[in-house]
Amino acid sequence: MIHHGSGRGARLAALGAGLGLALSGLACGGTAGGGADVSSIAQARGLSATDVEAAVKTYVPTGKMDDYLMFASGGQSGQVEIIGIPSMRLLKVVGVFTPEPWQGWGTGAEETHQVLAEGRMEGRDLTWGDTHHPALSETDADYDGQYLFINDKANPRVAVIDLRDMETKQIVTDPLMGANHGGTFVTPNTEYVIEGSQYAVPLDGQYASLDQYRERYRGAVTFWKFDRDRGRIDQARSFSMELPPYWQDLSDAGKGPSAGWAFINTFNTEMATGGDMEGQPPFEAGASANDMDLMNVIDWRKAAQVATEPGKTVTIQGRRVIPLKTAVAEGILYFIPEPKSPHGVDVTPDGTRLVVSGKLDPHVTVYSWAKIQKAIQDQDFSGKDAYGVPILNFDSVLDGQVELGLGPLHTQFGSNDIAYTSLFIESAVAKWSLKDMKLIEKLPVHYNVGHLAAAEGDTKSPDGNYLVSLNKWSIDRFQPVGPLHPQNFQLIDIGGPHMDRLYDMPIGIGEPHYAQIIKADKIKAWTTYPGVGFDPGTMSVDSAAPQAGKERIERKGNEVDVYMTAIRSHFTPEHIVVNRGDHVVIHITNIEQARDATHGFAIDKHNVNLSLEPGETQTVRFVADRAGVFPYYCTEFCSALHLEMAGYLLVRP
Ligand code: K7E
Ligand code: CUA
């Protein structure tokens, strides 16, 4: 990695790359390179000295690896993307809420359908999700590289991904909410995964007209208890809390001195119900009328205690819920005024301050955790909201405000008390000092930035070298590929005195909202499954899994069990003969242990494609309801005789 330390000119000179002067000093290729030098290549391609510097900072040659992994939400794709930094190479799209055929996610393997079936809502199969906020598991407020969580805003759900095999292990649904948004965020030791609602609805899932909005509609926050040993959310030990029918937005968990507390923004404290065709102000006006909205300040440790006490919770749709009244009586919930239609709330790495951005206010507002605590102790309230929640005195908890520019949304942190805030309307990143509460510089980005993600940015010690701007529009940055433009991830070098844009990465599979960036060496991903017959559902070897030499077909009545193995370059058995109407179960193990020796298993016209990674076992279950001849074959080009890795399913009439 090239680090700043001197001016750009000096660095380029050091590289022998002062364009047109010294680039020839980098003459490449030695004897075999054909004679071109870097200077003439750069000139021929119209690259400036800055371009060459950016290229050198991001280029990762073959055989070398990236320093960081970015886990990005896949937006409407319902998936998660894994991207290397600084190269910005896409490494994988992890199937989460949506089938992903290459990984065999939801395309025939029973184990994957079981996870997706956990995510059914209202009796419906859901084939998409709107992923917003990935959260890496933390130990002592530092990413530990074990798990990733992500929410589905559209169908309020949370998924758990195990970072050993990068597969989704669990989906939990939240019937209380109409949509979620303030999630996922984890507490400093991943005790809980926080999910906040967005658009208020009746929590009981019943009908209530909009005239009953104030009485019947509510927001909620759910604290999903994470059982790290099992790698699963423990639903029985999870609980929710009722919130007023404002629209909750982003949230964050306290750390350090603020550990034990959670913070959730709200907008629409006006409780506007829209109705532009009924002569009412549209939501965009009705929900933006107030100068101040209210941030939820929640003592989650106390809430977890209260949730276990008899008589202090109610059961709604099978969920344990702390009613709003109880939350107020127990001193679990407070409000802080925050200007104007806030979006992001971000706790500083040391946990002493909170940064809030109001979409319609050019400032970021910084709150002091020490002052918030004192105001709570002193009952320094400026009033109560319509639901009896005490509102802390704004002036008592304010640390300061910094004017940054138009449309501030989200803040990330570097090292040395430096903060970076996205400016949506301005299409810029503002770098500012938390210490001096001053704007330092702005960098234009392309275009309409939403979130920012910084290396190790949500930990107690951000690395302060890379920042990614997650831009909503790309307008003129890429070759037109039709009216639907890719989104644009822009990599920014924040290691030097000035921010430098390094790389544009088009994202063409959905709108990424948020991402987290972890040091690559913290991830201990498996290169093969650690045993033959390994079931990713239980993360252990299944003793009943097919093994080499034990392949067979067993028939009991009209149930046919096939015990199959896959190895370069054949399936055993190669013939499966059944009768029409038989219930067929194919158990199949990839008995290879060689790195990357993955086999696919597709059955023609049966909507089946598995990805059998080395050691993995999976199950396919179907009724042979049509007589005929159906080839099955391996869909991964695994060997020279890959095309021969095939067989016949023969269904007799
Ligand atoms: Cu700003 Cu869902 Cu975090 Cu999109 S959200 S930008
Ligand atoms: Cu196995 Cu192709």
Side-chain angles (χ1 to χ4, degrees):
M1 221 188 310
I2 310 292
H3 285 287
H4 295 260
S6 47
R8 173 177 294 147
R11 293 194 306 277
L12 283 174
L15 270 171
L19 190 68
L21 295 168
L23 269 176
S24 54
L26 265 184
C28 61
T31 51
D37 61 45
V38 172
S39 173
S40 52
I41 294 169
Q43 250 157 11
R45 298 196 63 221
L47 302 179
S48 68
T50 308
D51 297 334
V52 173
E53 184 181 349
V56 172
K57 282 181 176 176
T58 55
Y59 181 64
V60 177
T62 185
K64 295 227 167 114
M65 298 195 195
D66 281 300
D67 301 318
Y68 290 89
L69 290 178
M70 175 162 71
F71 291 85
S73 94
Q76 301 90 333
S77 75
Q79 318 292 46
V80 164
E81 295 144 14
I82 310 175
I83 294 158
I85 287 180
S87 73
M88 302 305 279
R89 294 179 294 194
L90 177 65
L91 301 174
K92 190 181 254 186
V93 177
V94 178
V96 185
F97 296 109
T98 304
E100 203 294 304
W102 173 53
Q103 288 152 56
W105 184 249
T107 52
E110 188 173 75
E111 295 80 356
T112 67
H113 285 278
Q114 279 164 2
V115 177
L116 285 165
E118 293 171 356
R120 301 183 88 233
M121 293 193 85
E122 307 280 330
R124 286 193 185 92
D125 281 327
L126 300 166
T127 57
W128 80 292
D130 187 13
T131 57
H132 276 237
H133 306 108
L136 289 155
S137 59
E138 295 182 13
T139 300
D140 189 22
D142 198 5
Y143 303 149
D144 55 40
Q146 293 187 351
Y147 294 96
L148 184 80
F149 310 93
I150 192 155
N151 71 314
D152 170 8
K153 172 172 165 168
N155 319 290
R157 300 184 287 179
V158 169
V160 180
I161 298 164
D162 191 318
L163 297 182
R164 285 173 292 182
D165 63 352
M166 308 280 173
E167 285 199 1
T168 303
K169 302 298 176 186
Q170 185 184 26
I171 297 175
V172 293
T173 61
D174 200 327
L176 301 175
M177 299 180 185
N180 70 29
H181 197 225
T184 52
F185 292 88
V186 298
T187 56
N189 285 298
T190 322
E191 298 95 335
Y192 289 96
V193 182
I194 302 172
E195 179 204 15
S197 60
Q198 185 138 75
Y199 309 115
V201 295
L203 299 187
D204 57 12
Q206 302 298 309
Y207 171 81
S209 76
L210 285 163
D211 300 336
Q212 300 170 282
Y213 187 84
R214 286 162 192 247
E215 301 80 47
R216 290 279 286 115
Y217 287 53
R218 288 293 180 270
V221 54
T222 295
F223 294 89
W224 295 106
K225 178 74 192 162
F226 187 59
D227 180 342
R228 197 188 282 264
D229 294 335
R230 285 179 51 239
R232 298 288 188 277
I233 283 168
D234 183 343
Q235 301 210 53
R237 287 158 70 207
S238 304
F239 66 95
S240 303
M241 201 165 105
E242 179 188 4
L243 296 175
Y246 315 140
W247 288 354
Q248 288 74 28
D249 209 24
L250 270 289
S251 63
D252 204 357
K255 54 168 94 72
S258 53
W261 291 73
F263 310 98
I264 306 177
N265 277 336
T266 54
F267 60 108
N268 197 13
T269 48
E270 298 84 353
M271 295 187 275
T273 54
D276 48 7
M277 289 187 62
E278 290 79 30
Q280 305 296 321
F283 276 120
E284 59 179 314
S288 311
N290 289 350
D291 281 336
M292 294 295 232
D293 287 289
L294 296 167
M295 187 209 301
N296 299 271
V297 177
I298 299 169
D299 185 341
W300 64 256
R301 280 208 192 112
K302 199 163 173 188
Q305 176 57 39
V306 166
T308 64
E309 291 169 11
K312 299 218 170 138
T313 56
V314 294
T315 302
I316 307 175
Q317 301 209 61
R319 307 296 158 132
R320 196 152 46 113
V321 182
I322 301 175
L324 198 39
K325 262 202 198 118
T326 308
V328 174
E330 297 285 336
I332 299 168
L333 174 65
Y334 300 90
F335 279 134
I336 294 180
E338 47 181 359
K340 167 133 187 142
S341 300
H343 189 47
V345 50
D346 296 281
V347 176
T348 56
D350 64 6
T352 62
R353 288 184 278 178
L354 317 174
V355 179
V356 166
S357 306
K359 300 175 295 241
L360 302 178
D361 182 311
H363 300 85
V364 284
T365 301
V366 184
Y367 299 90
S368 153
W369 173 244
K371 289 182 182 176
I372 293 170
Q373 266 179 310
K374 184 161 189 308
I376 291 173
Q377 269 156 23
D378 298 350
Q379 308 222 327
D380 181 3
F381 304 140
S382 57
K384 288 180 175 180
D385 85 328
Y387 297 88
V389 183
I391 301 171
L392 303 182
N393 195 332
F394 179 69
D395 295 323
S396 305
V397 297
L398 182 71
D399 190 56
Q401 292 182 302
V402 189
E403 183 166 347
L404 297 180
L406 299 179
L409 292 187
H410 297 287
T411 298
Q412 282 277 282
F413 302 98
S415 43
N416 302 324
D417 273 340
I418 301 293
Y420 301 86
T421 299
S422 55
L423 303 175
F424 180 85
I425 296 172
E426 250 182 87
S427 286
V429 173
K431 172 182 174 181
W432 55 284
S433 164
L434 273 163
K435 208 180 292 153
D436 314 327
M437 299 289 277
K438 276 207 181 81
L439 175 67
I440 299 169
E441 70 170 335
K442 286 192 212 179
L443 180 77
V445 290
H446 311 92
Y447 300 87
N448 295 11
V449 51
H451 276 270
L452 302 170
E456 299 268 319
D458 284 309
T459 70
K460 62 184 176 186
S461 57
D463 284 0
N465 45 7
Y466 293 116
L467 185 76
V468 173
S469 170
L470 284 70
N471 305 324
K472 308 293 185 185
W473 286 17
S474 62
I475 305 182
D476 55 5
R477 295 292 112 168
F478 306 113
Q479 288 288 351
V481 287
L484 180 62
H485 291 49
Q487 313 263 320
N488 187 7
F489 279 166
Q490 277 191 315
L491 178 67
I492 299 166
D493 180 352
I494 55 168
H498 300 291
M499 294 184 280
D500 288 325
R501 276 182 315 271
L502 297 180
Y503 197 86
D504 284 16
M505 179 197 186
I507 296 289
I509 66 157
E511 180 195 343
H513 286 263
Y514 187 45
Q516 284 191 332
I517 302 172
I518 182 172
K519 260 197 97 58
D521 61 15
K522 284 185 174 177
I523 302 274
K524 310 277 185 245
W526 291 335
T527 52
T528 65
Y529 278 107
V532 174
F534 201 90
D535 175 0
T538 60
M539 291 301 249
S540 62
V541 171
D542 176 358
S543 58
Q547 298 285 354
K550 306 247 176 75
E551 298 89 349
R552 63 199 183 278
I553 298 177
E554 289 175 357
R555 172 180 282 280
K556 280 182 222 113
N558 70 343
E559 166 137 352
V560 179
D561 280 278
V562 181
Y563 293 86
M564 180 184 281
T565 59
I567 189 169
R568 279 163 289 173
S569 303
H570 55 272
F571 294 110
T572 309
E574 292 183 337
H575 300 162
I576 302 172
V577 185
V578 299
N579 300 318
R580 187 168 163 236
D582 280 347
H583 292 248
V584 181
V585 188
I586 303 176
H587 315 262
I588 176 168
T589 305
N590 177 355
I591 57 176
E592 308 238 17
Q593 281 285 271
R595 226 166 134 156
D596 218 349
T598 295
H599 299 288
F601 176 73
I603 309 175
D604 289 12
K605 301 175 189 167
H606 281 69
N607 200 31
V608 169
N609 181 50
L610 312 189
S611 169
L612 295 154
E613 291 128 44
E616 186 172 15
T617 192
Q618 291 196 307
T619 312
V620 183
R621 194 183 295 270
F622 60 94
V623 177
D625 51 7
R626 245 201 82 220
V629 176
F630 306 98
Y632 52 87
Y633 72 99
C634 170
T635 53
E636 284 274 335
F637 206 112
C638 53
S639 68
L641 298 177
H642 149 80
L643 296 176
E644 288 79 354
M645 192 165 177
Y648 281 109
L649 167 68
L650 300 136
V651 183
R652 294 191 296 218

Short mmCIF file of all heavy atoms in Angstrom, two decimals, residues 112-147:
data_model
loop_
_atom_site.label_atom_id
_atom_site.label_comp_id
_atom_site.label_asym_id
_atom_site.label_seq_id
_atom_site.Cartn_x
_atom_site.Cartn_y
_atom_site.Cartn_z
N THR A 112 -31.35 -25.50 2.00
CA THR A 112 -31.45 -24.06 1.72
C THR A 112 -32.91 -23.62 1.70
O THR A 112 -33.24 -22.52 2.14
CB THR A 112 -30.76 -23.70 0.39
OG1 THR A 112 -31.49 -24.27 -0.71
CG2 THR A 112 -29.33 -24.22 0.35
N HIS A 113 -33.80 -24.49 1.22
CA HIS A 113 -35.22 -24.14 1.22
C HIS A 113 -35.76 -24.02 2.63
O HIS A 113 -36.66 -23.22 2.90
CB HIS A 113 -36.02 -25.18 0.43
CG HIS A 113 -35.84 -25.04 -1.04
ND1 HIS A 113 -36.55 -24.13 -1.80
CD2 HIS A 113 -35.01 -25.67 -1.90
CE1 HIS A 113 -36.16 -24.21 -3.06
NE2 HIS A 113 -35.22 -25.14 -3.15
N GLN A 114 -35.20 -24.82 3.56
CA GLN A 114 -35.65 -24.72 4.95
C GLN A 114 -35.32 -23.35 5.52
O GLN A 114 -36.14 -22.76 6.22
CB GLN A 114 -35.00 -25.82 5.80
CG GLN A 114 -35.71 -27.16 5.64
CD GLN A 114 -34.90 -28.35 6.15
OE1 GLN A 114 -33.79 -28.18 6.66
NE2 GLN A 114 -35.44 -29.53 6.00
N VAL A 115 -34.15 -22.82 5.21
CA VAL A 115 -33.79 -21.49 5.72
C VAL A 115 -34.70 -20.44 5.08
O VAL A 115 -35.26 -19.57 5.76
CB VAL A 115 -32.31 -21.17 5.45
CG1 VAL A 115 -31.97 -19.75 5.92
CG2 VAL A 115 -31.40 -22.19 6.14
N LEU A 116 -34.88 -20.54 3.76
CA LEU A 116 -35.75 -19.56 3.08
C LEU A 116 -37.19 -19.66 3.59
O LEU A 116 -37.89 -18.66 3.70
CB LEU A 116 -35.69 -19.75 1.56
CG LEU A 116 -34.40 -19.23 0.91
CD1 LEU A 116 -34.24 -19.77 -0.50
CD2 LEU A 116 -34.36 -17.70 0.89
N ALA A 117 -37.61 -20.89 3.93
CA ALA A 117 -38.99 -21.08 4.42
C ALA A 117 -39.18 -20.42 5.79
O ALA A 117 -40.28 -19.99 6.12
CB ALA A 117 -39.32 -22.57 4.49
N GLU A 118 -38.10 -20.32 6.58
CA GLU A 118 -38.20 -19.60 7.86
C GLU A 118 -38.60 -18.15 7.61
O GLU A 118 -39.13 -17.48 8.49
CB GLU A 118 -36.84 -19.59 8.59
CG GLU A 118 -36.35 -20.92 9.10
CD GLU A 118 -34.90 -20.83 9.60
OE1 GLU A 118 -34.27 -19.75 9.48
OE2 GLU A 118 -34.41 -21.84 10.10
N GLY A 119 -38.29 -17.66 6.42
CA GLY A 119 -38.55 -16.26 6.10
C GLY A 119 -39.89 -16.04 5.41
O GLY A 119 -40.16 -14.93 4.95
N ARG A 120 -40.75 -17.07 5.35
CA ARG A 120 -42.09 -16.85 4.78
C ARG A 120 -42.86 -15.91 5.70
O ARG A 120 -42.73 -15.98 6.92
CB ARG A 120 -42.85 -18.16 4.65
CG ARG A 120 -42.15 -19.19 3.77
CD ARG A 120 -42.99 -20.45 3.61
NE ARG A 120 -43.91 -20.33 2.48
CZ ARG A 120 -45.22 -20.54 2.55
NH1 ARG A 120 -45.78 -20.89 3.68
NH2 ARG A 120 -45.98 -20.39 1.47
N MET A 121 -43.66 -15.03 5.10
CA MET A 121 -44.50 -14.15 5.92
C MET A 121 -45.91 -14.17 5.37
O MET A 121 -46.11 -14.24 4.15
CB MET A 121 -43.94 -12.71 5.94
CG MET A 121 -42.59 -12.63 6.65
SD MET A 121 -42.08 -10.94 7.01
CE MET A 121 -42.94 -10.63 8.56
N GLU A 122 -46.88 -14.08 6.28
CA GLU A 122 -48.29 -14.06 5.88
C GLU A 122 -48.61 -15.24 4.97
O GLU A 122 -49.41 -15.12 4.04
CB GLU A 122 -48.64 -12.74 5.16
CG GLU A 122 -48.27 -11.49 5.93
CD GLU A 122 -49.28 -11.14 7.01
OE1 GLU A 122 -50.47 -11.44 6.85
OE2 GLU A 122 -48.86 -10.58 8.03
N GLY A 123 -47.94 -16.36 5.22
CA GLY A 123 -48.20 -17.55 4.42
C GLY A 123 -47.64 -17.49 3.01
O GLY A 123 -47.97 -18.33 2.18
N ARG A 124 -46.81 -16.51 2.74
CA ARG A 124 -46.30 -16.35 1.38
C ARG A 124 -44.82 -16.69 1.29
O ARG A 124 -44.04 -16.34 2.17
CB ARG A 124 -46.44 -14.89 0.92
CG ARG A 124 -47.83 -14.47 0.60
CD ARG A 124 -47.82 -13.12 -0.14
NE ARG A 124 -49.20 -12.68 -0.34
CZ ARG A 124 -49.85 -11.89 0.50
NH1 ARG A 124 -49.26 -11.43 1.59
NH2 ARG A 124 -51.10 -11.55 0.26
N ASP A 125 -44.44 -17.31 0.18
CA ASP A 125 -43.03 -17.40 -0.16
C ASP A 125 -42.60 -16.02 -0.65
O ASP A 125 -43.31 -15.39 -1.44
CB ASP A 125 -42.81 -18.40 -1.30
CG ASP A 125 -42.83 -19.83 -0.78
OD1 ASP A 125 -42.40 -20.06 0.36
OD2 ASP A 125 -43.29 -20.71 -1.54
N LEU A 126 -41.46 -15.57 -0.19
CA LEU A 126 -40.96 -14.27 -0.63
C LEU A 126 -39.69 -14.51 -1.43
O LEU A 126 -38.76 -15.14 -0.94
CB LEU A 126 -40.67 -13.39 0.59
CG LEU A 126 -41.89 -13.13 1.49
CD1 LEU A 126 -41.47 -12.56 2.83
CD2 LEU A 126 -42.85 -12.17 0.79
N THR A 127 -39.68 -14.03 -2.65
CA THR A 127 -38.51 -14.30 -3.50
C THR A 127 -37.62 -13.06 -3.67
O THR A 127 -36.80 -13.00 -4.56
CB THR A 127 -38.93 -14.82 -4.88
OG1 THR A 127 -39.81 -13.86 -5.46
CG2 THR A 127 -39.63 -16.16 -4.76
N TRP A 128 -37.83 -12.08 -2.80
CA TRP A 128 -36.91 -10.95 -2.82
C TRP A 128 -36.84 -10.35 -1.42
O TRP A 128 -37.65 -10.66 -0.55
CB TRP A 128 -37.34 -9.89 -3.84
CG TRP A 128 -38.42 -8.99 -3.35
CD1 TRP A 128 -39.72 -9.34 -3.09
CD2 TRP A 128 -38.30 -7.61 -2.99
NE1 TRP A 128 -40.41 -8.25 -2.62
CE2 TRP A 128 -39.57 -7.18 -2.53
CE3 TRP A 128 -37.25 -6.70 -3.01
CZ2 TRP A 128 -39.81 -5.87 -2.11
CZ3 TRP A 128 -37.49 -5.39 -2.59
CH2 TRP A 128 -38.77 -4.99 -2.15
N GLY A 129 -35.88 -9.50 -1.23
CA GLY A 129 -35.77 -8.74 0.01
C GLY A 129 -35.15 -7.41 -0.32
O GLY A 129 -34.60 -7.22 -1.40
N ASP A 130 -35.26 -6.46 0.61
CA ASP A 130 -34.65 -5.14 0.42
C ASP A 130 -33.60 -4.98 1.51
O ASP A 130 -33.88 -4.43 2.57
CB ASP A 130 -35.73 -4.07 0.50
CG ASP A 130 -35.19 -2.69 0.15
OD1 ASP A 130 -34.07 -2.59 -0.40
OD2 ASP A 130 -35.90 -1.69 0.43
N THR A 131 -32.40 -5.50 1.24
CA THR A 131 -31.38 -5.47 2.29
C THR A 131 -30.80 -4.07 2.42
O THR A 131 -30.50 -3.41 1.42
CB THR A 131 -30.26 -6.48 2.00
OG1 THR A 131 -29.66 -6.20 0.74
CG2 THR A 131 -30.78 -7.91 1.99
N HIS A 132 -30.67 -3.62 3.65
CA HIS A 132 -30.11 -2.28 3.88
C HIS A 132 -28.81 -2.27 4.68
O HIS A 132 -27.82 -1.73 4.21
CB HIS A 132 -31.15 -1.38 4.58
CG HIS A 132 -32.10 -0.73 3.64
ND1 HIS A 132 -32.28 0.62 3.54
CD2 HIS A 132 -32.92 -1.27 2.71
CE1 HIS A 132 -33.17 0.90 2.59
NE2 HIS A 132 -33.58 -0.24 2.08
N HIS A 133 -28.84 -2.85 5.88
CA HIS A 133 -27.70 -2.60 6.77
C HIS A 133 -27.06 -3.88 7.27
O HIS A 133 -27.55 -4.50 8.20
CB HIS A 133 -28.15 -1.75 7.96
CG HIS A 133 -28.83 -0.48 7.55
ND1 HIS A 133 -30.18 -0.28 7.68
CD2 HIS A 133 -28.35 0.63 6.95
CE1 HIS A 133 -30.49 0.93 7.21
NE2 HIS A 133 -29.40 1.49 6.75
N PRO A 134 -25.92 -4.25 6.66
CA PRO A 134 -25.18 -5.39 7.18
C PRO A 134 -24.45 -5.00 8.46
O PRO A 134 -24.01 -3.85 8.61
CB PRO A 134 -24.17 -5.70 6.07
CG PRO A 134 -24.00 -4.42 5.33
CD PRO A 134 -25.27 -3.63 5.49
N ALA A 135 -24.35 -5.93 9.39
CA ALA A 135 -23.61 -5.68 10.64
C ALA A 135 -22.74 -6.90 10.93
O ALA A 135 -23.23 -8.01 11.03
CB ALA A 135 -24.58 -5.44 11.80
N LEU A 136 -21.44 -6.65 11.05
CA LEU A 136 -20.51 -7.71 11.43
C LEU A 136 -20.60 -7.93 12.94
O LEU A 136 -20.78 -6.97 13.70
CB LEU A 136 -19.08 -7.30 11.06
CG LEU A 136 -18.78 -7.28 9.56
CD1 LEU A 136 -17.64 -6.34 9.24
CD2 LEU A 136 -18.45 -8.70 9.07
N SER A 137 -20.48 -9.19 13.35
CA SER A 137 -20.50 -9.47 14.78
C SER A 137 -19.29 -8.80 15.45
O SER A 137 -18.25 -8.59 14.82
CB SER A 137 -20.49 -10.97 15.04
OG SER A 137 -19.34 -11.57 14.47
N GLU A 138 -19.47 -8.45 16.71
CA GLU A 138 -18.42 -7.73 17.45
C GLU A 138 -18.11 -8.42 18.77
O GLU A 138 -18.99 -9.02 19.39
CB GLU A 138 -18.88 -6.28 17.75
CG GLU A 138 -19.06 -5.44 16.50
CD GLU A 138 -19.47 -4.00 16.81
OE1 GLU A 138 -19.38 -3.58 17.99
OE2 GLU A 138 -19.89 -3.30 15.87
N THR A 139 -16.86 -8.33 19.14
CA THR A 139 -16.43 -8.70 20.48
C THR A 139 -15.70 -7.48 21.03
O THR A 139 -14.79 -6.95 20.39
CB THR A 139 -15.47 -9.91 20.44
OG1 THR A 139 -16.17 -11.01 19.84
CG2 THR A 139 -15.01 -10.30 21.84
N ASP A 140 -16.14 -7.00 22.18
CA ASP A 140 -15.56 -5.81 22.79
C ASP A 140 -15.50 -4.65 21.77
O ASP A 140 -14.48 -4.00 21.61
CB ASP A 140 -14.17 -6.14 23.35
CG ASP A 140 -13.61 -4.99 24.19
OD1 ASP A 140 -14.41 -4.17 24.68
OD2 ASP A 140 -12.37 -4.91 24.31
N ALA A 141 -16.62 -4.43 21.09
CA ALA A 141 -16.79 -3.31 20.14
C ALA A 141 -15.79 -3.34 18.99
O ALA A 141 -15.42 -2.31 18.44
CB ALA A 141 -16.74 -1.97 20.87
N ASP A 142 -15.34 -4.54 18.65
CA ASP A 142 -14.43 -4.70 17.52
C ASP A 142 -14.96 -5.83 16.65
O ASP A 142 -15.44 -6.84 17.19
CB ASP A 142 -13.03 -5.04 18.07
CG ASP A 142 -11.95 -4.79 17.04
OD1 ASP A 142 -12.26 -4.25 15.95
OD2 ASP A 142 -10.79 -5.13 17.33
N TYR A 143 -14.88 -5.70 15.32
CA TYR A 143 -15.34 -6.79 14.47
C TYR A 143 -14.53 -8.05 14.79
O TYR A 143 -13.30 -8.00 14.86
CB TYR A 143 -15.11 -6.47 12.98
CG TYR A 143 -15.76 -5.21 12.47
CD1 TYR A 143 -15.16 -4.49 11.43
CD2 TYR A 143 -16.97 -4.74 12.97
CE1 TYR A 143 -15.74 -3.34 10.92
CE2 TYR A 143 -17.56 -3.59 12.48
CZ TYR A 143 -16.93 -2.88 11.45
OH TYR A 143 -17.50 -1.75 10.95
N ASP A 144 -15.24 -9.18 14.97
CA ASP A 144 -14.52 -10.41 15.29
C ASP A 144 -14.49 -11.38 14.11
O ASP A 144 -13.89 -12.46 14.22
CB ASP A 144 -15.09 -11.06 16.54
CG ASP A 144 -16.59 -11.32 16.43
OD1 ASP A 144 -17.05 -11.72 15.35
OD2 ASP A 144 -17.30 -11.11 17.43
N GLY A 145 -15.14 -11.05 13.01
CA GLY A 145 -15.02 -11.86 11.80
C GLY A 145 -15.81 -13.15 11.82
O GLY A 145 -15.58 -14.03 10.98
N GLN A 146 -16.77 -13.30 12.75
CA GLN A 146 -17.49 -14.57 12.85
C GLN A 146 -18.82 -14.60 12.11
O GLN A 146 -19.13 -15.58 11.46
CB GLN A 146 -17.73 -14.91 14.33
CG GLN A 146 -16.44 -15.21 15.07
CD GLN A 146 -16.70 -15.71 16.48
OE1 GLN A 146 -17.82 -15.68 16.96
NE2 GLN A 146 -15.65 -16.15 17.13
N TYR A 147 -19.63 -13.56 12.25
CA TYR A 147 -20.98 -13.58 11.69
C TYR A 147 -21.30 -12.24 11.03
O TYR A 147 -20.69 -11.21 11.34
CB TYR A 147 -22.02 -13.85 12.79
CG TYR A 147 -21.89 -15.24 13.38
CD1 TYR A 147 -21.16 -15.44 14.55
CD2 TYR A 147 -22.45 -16.33 12.74
CE1 TYR A 147 -21.01 -16.71 15.07
CE2 TYR A 147 -22.30 -17.61 13.26
CZ TYR A 147 -21.58 -17.79 14.43
OH TYR A 147 -21.43 -19.05 14.93
#
